[in-house]
Amino acid sequence: MAALRRLCLARSGRVSEAADLGAAIAARSQEADDWFRCAQLANALGKGGEALPWALRALAVAPFSPRYVEAAAHAALLQPQGIGAAIEALRALPLPGAPVTAGWRGDGLLAAQRLPYYAQYDSDHHAHMGWVTRLRRTTPDILPAGAWRGGGGLADILPAAAAIRDHFQALPHVEFRHAAEYAAVRLSCLLVPEGRWPLEFVSTAPLSLGQRPWVFWFDILSSLFNPFASLEDMRIDDHCPWYRIVKTLLEAPACRAICSHYPRSKGFIGAFFQSRIIAGKTRHVGPCDLGAGPESPAVATGRRPAPGDGNRVTLLFTNSRAQRDAGFYFRGGVDVLNGFERLAGRFPDLHLILRSPLPATLSQRLRTLAMEHPRIRWLPDFLAVDKHHAVMAEADILVMPGPILYRNGVTEALRLGIVPILGDPPGIEEVVEDGVNVVIVRGRRHRMRIDPGVPELTANLSGLMAATDRPADPAFFESYVRALEALVAAPDRRARLSRAGMAVLQAGPADLEAFERVIAEAQHPPDAGAC
């Protein structure tokens, strides 16, 4: 109960009270996670000196935990008097040395997506890694998880992290505490083994501190500021410290190129950051999923495997690759379960595949529905790419009625002939067309707004996280159920939408060539200078 109260206090903004309780829990606990939580809360209050002993104690137990490495680094970087004491304390711990470096070249394209710190950013997501694995003129080094140095390398890289912190602190609107937090959270990307890689491929979030030249694969705007700003209550503008730091990293010469699968992203990203430099290095490359690329039978032949017999219609809801609770809520999981319950009586052949763990906060009613309904197939565990696509091949309709555009899931479904029914998040019109290849239900856009002209990104998804039983937006939910009901009842319409989706979203040789060109130019830029 004390741990739950600690969590509730922290989430409600009463961090000082949570920290006091966390210290009391840690003092009598033998659990490394309690020590970590104590350090984390002390760091949130700017008390690095108090946080460091608890963080080091946790790190000694689990030196390859990215969370524990981050907490120790944050505590060290919060101390303006210097990092010397932290380095001495780290060297006194019995931490593991450098990992074995056999199994990779160390001189090709570095892809760190399988290292532990990438886990919260969807790791080696097949929608991001598809083209990397198909490169013909560059050899990618996709490092295994065991290549990460973890806490054993922290003492060696703290001086570089402190210098980066001081560089960030000199930026407008960036205070010391902001600079220390950003450097600590991103510091894990410095803990890769030694190598001569001329270029690194970075996806989802800007997981680089400029330590080597890098190419960035842009996906969702809000992910640029993850985890520093929460989608539950986010406001990003040019006075925000995270905006200033990310802009600096993207403008820096080390960031050689930005790839985006949004055709108009060149103008959009540049406008949002008010930067001609960023606009000038942004390139459009069509995405290519592993297992759903140009050689996929469903794509190559323009048809998909038959999902079933008779009048059966299968809905599919998928969480993110990282399987977070927030992903269930943000993608519309509560609406999906309630909508299925509403329609299941009318359509006896309606089925739902729920590829997501159930959040701990989900109501018992919905939990029972998901786990016990005979026509809901619940898949709570992580699925490898081949099994994931096998599950998708069974579906007719992708249900994702949330306020965020998760483009990868939508385009993956379209390629396989699955018809998406979506909310109306910002940017949706650039990817799909309502009534042509998807069904869009209006009424979610008030929860997230993007205005690149200001610039401003705002999100208030706390209501979705709080709506653990009934939908957060009742009017939207009714519109969604009506639209889904009409789609389920119209097989000819689904067939037309399916054909249209496959026709417009086929990655091909031109996209691979475009990506090859981006990588080649980034490795050998005409004006390469200091990074």
Side-chain angles (χ1 to χ4, degrees):
M1 291 299 293
L4 180 60
R5 176 168 171 75
R6 177 188 61 195
L7 173 64
C8 292
L9 287 169
R11 288 187 65 91
S12 62
R14 298 160 65 180
V15 181
S16 182
E17 294 175 67
D20 290 342
L21 180 57
I25 293 172
R28 61 177 183 270
S29 175
Q30 297 301 312
E31 298 293 329
D33 211 59
D34 286 328
W35 307 334
F36 157 72
R37 294 295 180 190
C38 181
Q40 185 184 46
L41 290 165
N43 282 335
L45 294 173
K47 299 178 179 180
E50 294 181 15
L52 186 61
W54 292 112
L56 294 179
R57 192 173 177 183
L59 190 63
V61 174
F64 291 102
S65 166
R67 297 185 305 151
Y68 297 176
V69 170
E70 177 187 316
H74 195 180
L77 294 173
L78 274 172
Q79 301 183 59
Q81 69 271 23
I83 58 173
I87 291 176
E88 287 185 19
L90 282 163
R91 295 202 187 281
L93 292 177
L95 298 173
V100 177
T101 58
W104 59 83
R105 293 162 51 93
D107 59 358
L109 175 69
L110 171 62
Q113 278 75 6
R114 290 178 184 167
L115 300 191
Y117 69 89
Y118 246 104
Q120 68 170 314
Y121 306 99
D122 284 356
S123 301
D124 55 334
H125 195 296
H126 44 275
H128 303 151
M129 299 295 289
W131 285 137
V132 171
T133 61
R134 290 173 169 82
L135 287 170
R136 300 162 298 186
R137 296 189 287 272
T138 300
T139 303
D141 269 335
I142 305 175
L143 300 187
W148 193 56
R149 296 174 64 190
L154 189 52
D156 296 335
I157 58 138
L158 268 179
I164 292 168
R165 174 202 62 192
D166 296 342
H167 173 66
F168 290 155
Q169 189 187 359
L171 299 174
H173 308 296
V174 179
E175 300 176 12
F176 179 82
R177 60 189 177 93
H178 300 133
E181 181 180 358
Y182 196 96
V185 171
R186 296 290 191 244
L187 167 145
S188 287
C189 68
L190 303 179
L191 292 169
V192 301
E194 295 294 327
R196 302 184 301 277
W197 294 289
L199 191 68
E200 181 171 359
F201 176 77
V202 177
S203 58
T204 307
L207 300 178
S208 172
L209 290 171
Q211 66 274 15
R212 65 176 56 81
W214 55 297
V215 167
F216 180 52
W217 187 276
F218 171 80
D219 187 7
I220 300 174
L221 183 63
S222 57
S223 294
L224 298 182
F225 311 103
N226 180 19
F228 308 100
S230 170
L231 283 167
E232 294 179 52
D233 186 17
M234 174 182 284
R235 182 185 176 89
I236 302 292
D237 57 27
D238 62 351
H239 288 79
C240 172
W242 317 126
Y243 175 98
R244 291 288 178 164
I245 292 174
V246 171
K247 178 180 179 178
T248 296
L249 288 168
L250 295 180
E251 283 188 331
C255 179
R256 296 282 173 82
I258 301 169
C259 293
S260 173
H261 39 211
Y262 298 94
R264 294 193 292 272
S265 289
K266 179 174 181 176
F268 169 75
I269 301 175
F272 184 80
F273 285 103
Q274 301 178 318
S275 171
R276 293 182 178 178
I277 296 174
I278 292 175
K281 63 176 71 174
T282 303
R283 304 287 184 269
H284 171 250
V285 179
C288 181
D289 300 344
L290 286 173
E295 73 280 13
S296 170
V299 174
T301 62
R303 57 183 175 82
R304 61 186 298 266
D309 299 323
N311 296 318
R312 177 177 177 134
V313 176
T314 300
L315 312 179
L316 172 66
F317 173 83
T318 66
N319 201 332
S320 69
R321 185 174 172 85
Q323 301 281 63
R324 291 181 289 266
D325 284 3
F328 176 89
Y329 290 117
F330 294 168
R331 291 168 183 252
V334 169
D335 296 79
V336 168
L337 284 174
N338 278 283
F340 178 82
E341 183 183 45
R342 175 87 66 87
L343 297 179
R346 179 183 170 189
F347 299 101
D349 292 318
L350 184 66
H351 293 251
L352 169 64
I353 299 174
L354 191 71
R355 194 202 67 78
S356 173
L358 301 178
T361 54
L362 192 67
S363 73
Q364 188 57 51
R365 181 183 70 87
L366 292 183
R367 184 176 299 276
T368 301
L369 176 68
M371 297 173 66
E372 298 183 5
H373 196 285
R375 285 185 276 133
I376 294 181
R377 182 181 171 194
W378 179 43
L379 302 174
D381 299 325
F382 174 82
L383 295 178
V385 173
D386 56 343
K387 294 183 179 179
H388 171 70
H389 282 111
V391 168
M392 292 196 72
E394 300 177 36
D396 301 283
I397 299 172
L398 175 74
V399 282
M400 196 183 291
I404 304 175
L405 174 58
Y406 293 100
R407 188 192 195 281
N408 297 323
V410 173
T411 56
E412 184 179 32
L414 288 169
R415 281 202 188 92
L416 294 173
I418 303 167
V419 179
I421 181 166
L422 311 168
D424 58 341
I428 188 73
E429 295 86 359
E430 185 176 347
V431 178
V432 292
E433 189 173 353
D434 184 26
V436 175
N437 47 25
V438 303
V439 174
I440 295 175
V441 182
R442 309 291 171 183
R444 287 291 208 195
R445 192 159 294 190
H446 68 285
R447 293 199 173 272
M448 176 175 279
R449 298 181 186 278
I450 301 174
D451 188 343
V454 173
E456 185 177 77
L457 163 64
T458 59
N460 182 7
L461 306 190
S462 57
L464 296 182
M465 294 289 288
T468 60
D469 184 60
R470 300 294 179 182
D473 299 316
F476 169 83
F477 172 69
E478 295 300 330
S479 297
Y480 160 71
V481 170
R482 287 194 297 270
L484 179 59
E485 181 179 26
L487 190 60
V488 170
D492 291 344
R493 182 184 177 209
R494 293 199 310 273
R496 174 175 56 80
L497 293 169
S498 173
R499 289 192 298 270
M502 286 193 292
V504 300
L505 280 168
Q506 292 189 27
D511 295 288
L512 176 56
E513 184 60 36
F515 187 63
E516 293 261 26
R517 189 162 52 251
V518 168
I519 296 299
E521 292 174 356
Q523 287 177 321
H524 307 288
D527 56 347
C531 295

